[in-house]
Each structure stands twice: as C-alpha cells, then as structure tokens.
Amino acid sequence: MSTSRRSFLKWVAGAGIAVAVPKSVQAHDHFEGYADSYGVLHDASLCIGCRSCEAACHEVNDLPAPEKPFDDKSVLNTIRRTDDTNYTVVNKYKEGPPPKNGVFRKQQCNHCKEPACASACFVGAFTKSPEGAVVYDESVCVGCRYCLIACPFNVPTYTYDDALTPKVMKCTMCLPRVKEGKLPGCVEACPMEALTFGKREDLITIAKERMRKHPDRYINHIYGENEVGGTNWLYISEEPFEELGMRTDLGITPAPELTSGALAMVPVIIGMWPVLLGGIYVINRRKDIIAKKEKEDAVAEMKAVTTAEGEEKVKKAKEQALKQQGFAVKREVKKALEEAAKAKDENQNGEEAK
C-alpha cells in the first residue's frame, strides 16, 4: 500500500503515539542484490574529461542546460558533486601529461547491490530493480530525507521547487533505456570507451583481465566489487582511489546491516512526531498567552500610572490656579484700598487748602 506525501502529512497531523506501519516498512530484510543484474565499469585511466557523458545525461533525462556549456573545460578545475540538475559530473583530480592532460573520474549514483537509501526509506520510495539500478518513486516519498543521510557516497540531492512535493534527484542508470535494450546515455556517448555496460559479473571479469594484462597501469583493486556489499557501478584506476576523491574507509559490510538498529526506531520516531509537534505547539501557545497577558497587564499598569499622574497634575494645577487666583484677588483688593486711601488723602488736603 503506497502512501503519498500529502496523505502522510495528514496522517501525521491526526495520529497519536500508536502508528500503523506497513509490513514492508517494519522489516529491513537482508538483500544481496539480483543475480545477472547489469552495471557499468568506469576505467578512469581512459577518461579524458571531455564531459560528453554529462551532455548525454542532460539530454536523456531532459535536465536544464548548465551555466557553462559542456565544451567549457574550466569547470573541471573545481570539484563538483551531483545535484538535482546534474545526475553525473566529471572532476579533475590531478594534472597529467598529454594526451589526457589530467586524471579524471566520473561520479554518479553507484547503484549499490544492497542500497543504504532503500534500507533507510521507511515508505519504500527506493527500490533495487532486477536490472541493477536503484530507482526512486516520488509518489510515495514523504520528504524525510533519511536517504541523503544514509548514502555512503553522498549522491542523492533534494529539489525544493515545490514546497509540498520536493523530490530526490539522482542517476537512474537510464533504466528505461536499459529495459528497451539500449545503453545508458553516458556509456553510449563516451568517445574513449572509458565506460563499459554489461552484466556485473562480466564487468568484474573484464576489469580483472585488464589489470592482469597491465599490472603496471592499474591499482590492483576493483572499487565497488565489495565496498558496502558491492555496487553495480565499478571502477578501476591507475591512481589510488583516495586520490580520486573516493572513500576507502567503507569496508565490505552492506549498509543495511550497519543501520538496521537505528532504522528500527524510525516508525517509533514517526509516531512520536504528532506528540512532539503537539507539545511544541502547546508550549508555544502558552508562551503566547502569557506574553499577551503580561503585555496587557503592562499596558493597564501604564494607563493606571498615567491616569494617576494625570489626575495628580490636574489637582496640583487647580491648586496652583486657586492660589494664583487668591494672590490676584488680594493684589487687586490691596490696590483698590491703596487707591481709595490716596483719594481720601487728596480730598482732605483740598478741603484744608480752602
């Protein structure tokens, strides 16, 4: 039973601690890949950094044009990684003599036999196809991004063009073309035959034969034959793999065996999301209510203080006015009395003069 991102979000919003996890999600069974699956062998000693594989990948997958054209080799001077608009990139790791003029490596999804991304995905958005490709179904993806964390090769990337329907973007090994009997776009476009497509077991045989014939050219190791349980994208090189930006600390244990303990807690964590989010909402809501009450109390107190201070000022003003009024009355009375006394004296002096 598939679960869309929107229905999952609705389910999370209304769920409690108890959650119903599909049976396919509950168990992370040990899976050793499909027999007779296909893969690609990348011979780094033959790669000249022409970027033809990048151009073909863009065309086959209808990806947007890059900022710089594919014949611009200046981009090789900066180590790049795959992203939602570049399913594969070629990087230059060393300078070198003609005709190659450097040491190059193509990077893309390695299509693990036992994919860490599939093991980490609790809704089954990633699956391993019988043809060998690790494929992604965006219709069931819920956007948790555990696959990004789980991948030991740092390959999957997210696109956020639509906030409600972000997608994981990565190489598909051109699975639709492979099912039609065609070569992956990058393999078909490589002018140096640095990429070889075929059954994985046959590719390992080819790689070993090249190393046997040219022991002075190749490092005696097929990268991907056993790393993290094996991958369907294999590498041979004339340079140590760590000097090509590749991890050499992964060991041979499949990723699901390393993550099964942690992944068993995923359904529990998902079930706790509503409770956690609900608790956070309640706390924030309570904080808002308290903050609002404190603000209202502060405003009321300020009004009270302002009102009291205003009334006190009015009272003092009235008292001052009354006092000033009293002074004015007294002054006028005194003035009137003085004028009356002066007039009386003048009258008396006039009579005495007669």
Side-chain angles (χ1 to χ4, degrees), residues 332-352:
E332 292 299 322
V333 171
K334 182 180 179 181
K335 182 179 179 181
L337 291 174
E338 289 177 347
E339 290 178 351
K342 182 179 180 181
K344 183 179 179 182
D345 291 341
E346 291 177 347
N347 291 335
Q348 290 178 353
N349 291 336
E351 292 176 0
E352 291 177 355

Side-chain angles (χ1 to χ4, degrees), residues 61 77 135 240 249 264 282:
N61 293 288
N77 297 323
V135 292
D249 61 340
V282 170

Side-chain angles (χ1 to χ4, degrees), residues 110-113 153 200 223-224 227-234:
N110 286 335
H111 300 280
C112 302
K113 290 178 62 180
F153 302 108
R200 183 178 184 274
Y223 192 98
E227 275 77 7
V228 291
T231 62
N232 282 65
W233 207 283
L234 306 166

Side-chain angles (χ1 to χ4, degrees), residues 110-177:
N110 286 335
H111 300 280
C112 302
K113 290 178 62 180
E114 301 178 63
C117 54
S119 176
C121 184
F122 58 88
V123 294
F126 285 92
T127 55
K128 181 72 172 178
S129 72
E131 291 80 8
V134 176
V135 292
Y136 164 73
D137 183 356
E138 64 180 271
S139 67
V140 300
C141 177
V142 298
C144 70
R145 290 172 287 179
Y146 288 142
C147 56
L148 275 67
I149 301 172
C151 178
F153 302 108
N154 194 31
V155 169
T157 57
Y158 234 46
T159 174
Y160 295 91
D161 294 337
D162 185 340
L164 290 178
T165 57
K167 295 186 295 183
V168 176
M169 311 294 282
K170 73 171 196 67
C171 162
T172 64
M173 206 166 76
C174 290
L175 183 59
R177 290 174 58 90

